[in-house]
């Protein structure tokens, strides 16, 4: 059973324990998350000029829209201010600055009515992040930048928390993905030929759990949750921020969600930066995760 907690008063350790059991957390907007989305809005506004970014898809050819995203998203991802605001947000949630590591915050977009669903605006099929070489102790954070509705958010498929899904993760190697596919997303307009782990059997999409945070609201869940993008029929482009964290003690101790079907190789752990000083996770910790699963 997936339990949804609304703004619970728990320590970070208590929260991680519940996340590894398949529970999900939803927090209201707070000053630190509002500061992060305000910064994102500034960059989005500059990128789209005088156009409303939520409806700009109706004013631009798809190639132009994709080109704007191809410049906007890396600018946000790599901007020092984005990391600064993210670190402040994690501290506000009680994360230990010396034991918590994060990857860079990513700006995501989901256009309406199949305008652009590939490449730079990839519409995610049902998947676990752990199929993509993420550690089983990974925690995912998701924040809408503008107002969202049930027709343009993401959704969970909780029956698969402990039920394996036949999938293509055994053919996925994170290092090969970085070498061949990670940096050419903007080239995939209309079709996306990049090999990504997907279910290889029919998935029962219902029952599903769909949460609708307010702008700046924070959804927190295990990277092992099976989730997908809701097909956007809202009439507006959805913009959101997501990032991931790990606690190094959990990584070392293998305190984590259960592995029911992951068989990928490589590890994303070298992408994580320590909250306190932006140092990368120790190499010996990453090396311990080099094998399958």
């Amino acid at each position: 059973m997936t339990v949804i907690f609304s703004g619970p008063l728990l320590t970070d350790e208590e929260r991680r324990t519940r996340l590894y059991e398949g529970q999900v957390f939803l927090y209201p907007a707070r000053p630190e998350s509002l500061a992060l989305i305000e910064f994102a809005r500034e960059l989005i506004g500059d990128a789209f000029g005088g156009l409303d970014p939520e409806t700009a898809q109706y004013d631009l050819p798809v190639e132009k829209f994709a080109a704007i995203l191809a410049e906007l998203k890396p600018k946000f991802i790599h901007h020092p201010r984005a990391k600064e605001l993210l670190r402040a947000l994690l501290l506000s949630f009680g994360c230990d600055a010396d034991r918590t590591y994060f990857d860079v915050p990513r700006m995501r977009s989901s256009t309406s009515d199949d305008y652009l669903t590939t490449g730079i605006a990839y519409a995610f099929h049902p998947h676990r992040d752990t199929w993509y070489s993420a550690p089983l102790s990974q925690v995912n954070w998701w924040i809408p930048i503008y107002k969202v509705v049930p027709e343009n958010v993401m959704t969970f498929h909780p029956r698969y928390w402990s039920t394996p899904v036949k999938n293509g993760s055994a053919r996925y190697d994170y290092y090969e993905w970085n070498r061949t596919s990670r940096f050419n997303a903007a080239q995939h307009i209309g079709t996306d030929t990049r090999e990504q782990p997907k279910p290889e059997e029919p998935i029962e999409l219902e029952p599903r759990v769909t949460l609708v945070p307010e702008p700046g609201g924070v959804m927190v869940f295990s990277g092992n949750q099976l989730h997908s993008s809701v097909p956007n029929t809202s009439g507006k482009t959805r913009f959101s921020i997501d990032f991931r964290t790990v606690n190094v003690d959990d990584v070392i101790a293998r305190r984590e969600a259960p592995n029911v079907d992951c068989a990928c190789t490589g590890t994303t752990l070298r992408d994580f930066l320590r909250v306190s000083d932006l140092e990368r996770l120790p190499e010996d910790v990453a090396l311990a995760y080099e094998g399958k699963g």
Side-chain angles (χ1 to χ4, degrees), residues 124-292:
F124 275 97
H125 51 271
H127 69 285
R128 308 183 201 272
D129 281 21
T130 47
W131 290 352
Y132 293 76
S133 305
L136 288 158
S137 54
Q138 178 176 289
V139 172
N140 290 15
W141 306 68
W142 192 90
I143 306 170
I145 297 172
Y146 303 104
K147 181 180 178 181
V148 291
V149 293
E151 293 77 24
N152 68 3
V153 290
M154 52 163 288
T155 192
F156 299 101
H157 309 287
R159 66 157 293 186
Y160 293 102
W161 173 257
S162 56
T163 300
V165 176
K166 184 180 179 183
N167 67 84
S169 63
R171 298 189 301 276
Y172 183 86
D173 181 86
Y174 185 62
Y175 310 132
E176 183 67 13
W177 169 262
N178 281 338
R179 189 180 69 82
T180 62
S181 302
R182 181 175 187 175
F183 301 106
N184 62 0
Q187 300 172 18
H188 295 266
I189 299 175
T191 59
D192 198 325
T193 59
R194 297 173 297 170
E195 176 69 26
Q196 303 198 47
K198 298 178 181 179
E200 296 181 347
E201 64 177 337
I203 296 293
E204 295 182 17
L205 298 181
E206 303 290 347
R208 63 181 183 178
V209 175
T210 302
L211 305 182
V212 184
E214 64 184 315
V218 184
M219 185 160 55
V220 190
F221 58 98
S222 165
N224 205 44
Q225 286 279 3
L226 192 75
H227 60 287
S228 62
S229 301
V230 173
N232 189 346
T233 59
S234 69
K236 290 187 175 183
T237 297
R238 181 257 290 165
F239 288 89
S240 57
I241 297 168
D242 63 63
F243 59 92
R244 295 147 187 81
T245 59
V246 294
N247 179 282
V248 67
D249 297 324
D250 291 354
V251 172
I252 293 170
R254 301 275 178 159
R255 183 170 176 261
E256 58 194 15
N259 183 1
V260 294
D261 58 16
C262 303
C264 47
T265 55
T267 179
T268 62
L269 282 171
R270 292 183 181 84
D271 295 343
F272 287 81
L273 308 173
R274 187 160 55 196
V275 170
S276 60
D277 56 11
L278 301 182
E279 287 294 314
R280 294 198 179 272
L281 203 74
E283 177 64 15
D284 62 320
V285 176
L287 281 172
Y289 279 76
E290 289 288 356
K292 280 186 176 287

Side-chain angles (χ1 to χ4, degrees), residues 7-59:
L9 298 177
L10 298 174
T11 67
D12 183 50
E13 183 171 357
E14 291 171 330
R15 181 171 53 236
R16 298 195 318 272
T17 297
R18 294 178 181 269
L19 291 168
Y20 302 153
E21 295 171 349
Q23 298 171 11
V24 176
F25 294 82
L26 181 62
Y27 294 88
R30 58 181 61 197
E32 294 82 4
S33 62
L34 292 173
L36 182 60
I37 67 167
E38 181 57 35
F39 174 66
R41 288 178 178 180
E42 291 174 10
L43 296 186
I44 294 170
D46 290 343
F48 282 94
L51 295 176
D52 180 343
E54 295 183 274
T55 57
Q57 68 173 84
Y58 303 108
D59 301 306

